[in-house]
Amino acid sequence: MCGIVGLHLRNPDLYPRLGELLTGMLCEMEDRGADSAGVAVYGDPTWAPPGVATVSVLADGVDATTLAEQLTAAVGSDVDVTTAGPTLLVHGPVEASTLAAAVRATAPDALVIGFGEDLAVLKGVGRPRDLAATFGLPSAQGWQGVGHTRMATESAVTPAGSHPYAVGPDQCMVHNGSFHNYPTIRRELEARGVRFDSGNDTEVGARFVAQCLEDGLDVETALKELCRTFDGFYTLLVSNRDSFAVVRDAIACKPAVVAETDDWVAMASEYRALVGLPGIESARLFEPEPERIYAWTR
Ligand SMILES: NC(=O)CC[C@H](N)C(=O)O
């Protein structure tokens, strides 16, 4: 199994409720994956303040104040480190990829779980309901959120093995299913210099898409390339700095439902995750077709 949820808000009046709505959706998917969970939140003013880059980091035993001082010295401008549960959120007035590289160089054992202008990623091992509370998710705000509840198939139950995989700037992927030929694609990416943080199949998909975007493809073309290259079962939700996209494999055996109103677009593995959304009773509902790319842009 594994559960996917996502909410792309069109109506700014709902931005203050993003965390509350996403928490309800995520917790409803707990029985699809109770070993790990994670979220990607776009636009929370404290987790990812406007005007600076944010890097989301898991680093046991690293002190936030010390890390902030070391990073300030490393990048030559003021870096600030806040916490959301066990996650360190590093903020600084430099390019997000520069800040992420500085974190990796300064704290080599740290796990960078997301970076961008607008994105905060929180993930870990444990029951989704407990993790949502630890993250402080119910009070988060923003314009877009993605969540995942994991039942591991392809790699160990560790923080690095949990989703989302946010491996490119402001990008994120969550996955229900399993890719079969991922070791081959991983070797090809490694030959191009791509580095991996886990043995997870989804990480290979996320790094493949990140590479396509870096090569100049748009999200829809990158996902078509993924369908052409990867063999296996998948429902994927892929988000970016301004977009939200869904794709399923040719057999589409992993469930997915999309609901759309003038105020929001939402996606989940099962309809029950959507029932708490305001206006769901009049939403346009559909099941995504196999190998068709659905993308919504801000
Ligand atoms: N149950 C699933 O859908 C698992 C997703 C992915 N293969 C993982 O192990 O993380």
Side-chain angles (χ1 to χ4, degrees), residues 165-230:
Y165 283 98
V167 301
D170 286 302
Q171 295 164 26
C172 155
M173 175 184 285
V174 290
H175 173 204
N176 173 202
S178 42
F179 295 128
H180 302 323
N181 59 341
Y182 72 95
T184 308
I185 300 163
R186 177 176 171 140
R187 278 195 295 277
E188 287 165 8
L189 288 168
E190 283 174 333
R192 290 185 63 178
V194 176
R195 304 277 301 275
F196 287 80
D197 293 326
S198 74
N200 190 276
D201 57 332
T202 310
E203 184 179 356
V204 181
R207 294 206 183 268
F208 177 87
V209 169
Q211 196 65 46
C212 290
L213 296 176
E214 200 179 310
D215 291 345
L217 303 189
D218 61 24
V219 172
E220 294 189 55
T221 315
L223 291 179
K224 278 190 191 134
E225 272 303 295
L226 180 143
C227 292
R228 210 178 53 76
T229 311
F230 281 76

Side-chain angles (χ1 to χ4, degrees), residues 1-3 32-33 148-156 161-163 165 175-179 200-203 233 235 254:
M1 292 223 273
C2 274
R32 290 189 61 88
H148 187 265
T149 62
R150 181 173 189 229
M151 183 180 286
T153 62
E154 305 301 315
S155 71
S162 59
H163 304 212
Y165 283 98
H175 173 204
N176 173 202
S178 42
F179 295 128
N200 190 276
D201 57 332
T202 310
E203 184 179 356
F233 300 118
T235 289
K254 297 296 176 192

